[in-house]
Amino acid sequence: MKNKLVIVTGVPGVGGTTLTEKAIEALKKEGINYKMVNFGTIMFEVAKSENLVEDRDQMRKLDPDTQKRIQKMAGRKISEMTADAPVIVDTHSTIKTPMGYLPGLPKWVLDELNPDIIVIVETTGDEILMRRLGDGSRNRDLESTGNIEEHQFMNRCAAMTYGVLTGATVKIIKNRDKLLEEGVEELLSVLK
Ligand code: AMP
Ligand code: MG
């Protein structure tokens, strides 16, 4: 049987990475070993090696053709890592660029990854704005709650098209303030 491939998405700052790390820890205790792959990290390795950027938050400002070229290389690399274990790919449904919403999983990337489930991690625009303001470790874009909510709406639209293209199911999981554990439980239910 093919190993499960789950893609976890969410706007920057919603806590997709945190939720995923916690779920993977919990599963390890039950003897289920997922490999976690961060799409942005693989892209950053490529972009840095070509001297295109100095930090990962500069990548979404590159011209779209460059982003797509690196994205495709990352998709290929990740698909090579997925042969021997169930995998969670930590990434984004769309990337907000100066040229508009860039699909995180265009069809040529989906063809490489062949996902079973696409998870969207969400919370309210207000909570995301506050989390971004509190995160000094990253160059998060500061935008209004309305714009954050538009981004989440576009992410839902894009995620469902990825489902239509691949047959993957699309699961929406909430990561509300002070309710991280509930989000982790929900994520666990689709990973098991
Ligand atoms: P992250 O650490 O998840 O915020 O990702 C860092 C950066 O990697 C993002 O701002 C994007 O520029 C890039 N990135 C991550 N996933 C994708 C993807 N699927 N397609 C294009 N760019 C991506
Ligand atoms: Mg993240």
Side-chain angles (χ1 to χ4, degrees), residues 101-154:
Y101 291 103
L102 180 95
L105 303 161
K107 63 183 186 320
W108 53 87
V109 174
L110 288 171
D111 286 343
E112 296 281 357
L113 297 181
N114 195 14
D116 300 285
I117 307 170
I118 296 163
V119 173
I120 312 177
V121 181
E122 291 185 349
T123 189
T124 62
D126 288 337
E127 289 187 352
I128 290 162
L129 180 61
M130 292 313 289
R131 290 176 198 175
R132 286 186 188 173
L133 287 170
D135 181 2
S137 72
R138 296 285 302 265
N139 275 314
R140 303 290 196 197
D141 292 329
L142 283 185
E143 45 180 350
S144 66
T145 56
N147 284 350
I148 294 170
E149 276 154 18
E150 177 189 275
H151 191 181
Q152 293 201 120
F153 171 76
M154 296 300 279

Side-chain angles (χ1 to χ4, degrees), residues 39-40 43 56 59-60 71 91-92 95 102 104 138 140:
F39 203 108
M43 278 184 63
R56 60 198 291 133
M59 290 193 291
R60 62 181 173 273
Q71 176 190 56
T91 187
H92 301 280
I95 291 86
L102 180 95
R138 296 285 302 265
R140 303 290 196 197

Side-chain angles (χ1 to χ4, degrees), residues 32 59 61 90 99 102 108 115 120 130 134 156 168 175 186-187:
I32 305 170
M59 290 193 291
K61 318 286 183 197
D90 177 7
M99 303 293 274
L102 180 95
W108 53 87
I120 312 177
M130 292 313 289
R156 283 190 179 193
N175 182 24
E186 256 199 288
L187 183 54

